[in-house]
Amino acid sequence: MTEYQLDILGKVCPYCLLAVRNEIKKLSTGDLLVVITDHPPAATDTIPHDMKKKGHNVVTKKLEPGMWEIRITMK
């Protein structure tokens, strides 16, 4: 398992989701992608919903007001 970081601070949807989709294309089963975002819809809805639909494990954690960490484990 390898851990990768993706900083999408300052980006809004649909660019947040597109950035994540592009990044996961490079990953293998078991890899972890840690996404940092400040866009609420991306953190709480768009990215988690899309990644779960694709079968990946997703955990979203609020780091501080207005900033989230999304941990996506590739399946």
Side-chain angles (χ1 to χ4, degrees):
M1 176 189 94
T2 305
E3 183 175 314
Y4 298 89
Q5 302 282 326
L6 180 62
D7 181 339
I8 53 172
L9 294 172
K11 294 187 179 187
V12 296
C13 284
Y15 302 107
C16 294
L17 181 57
L18 293 173
V20 171
R21 282 182 178 173
N22 285 335
E23 194 66 24
I24 67 166
K25 289 177 186 175
K26 306 172 192 173
L27 307 183
S28 301
T29 300
D31 286 348
L32 173 66
L33 177 62
V34 180
V35 181
I36 303 297
T37 184
D38 57 359
H39 187 58
T44 60
D45 182 38
T46 312
I47 294 171
H49 176 77
D50 189 68
M51 293 297 110
K52 286 177 184 175
K53 191 168 90 175
K54 293 181 185 317
H56 305 303
N57 291 333
V58 180
V59 176
T60 302
K61 180 171 115 178
K62 193 169 193 175
L63 298 175
E64 59 185 59
M67 187 173 300
W68 292 265
E69 175 185 84
I70 308 167
R71 299 176 70 83
I72 304 165
T73 305
M74 300 298 107
K75 286 284 184 162

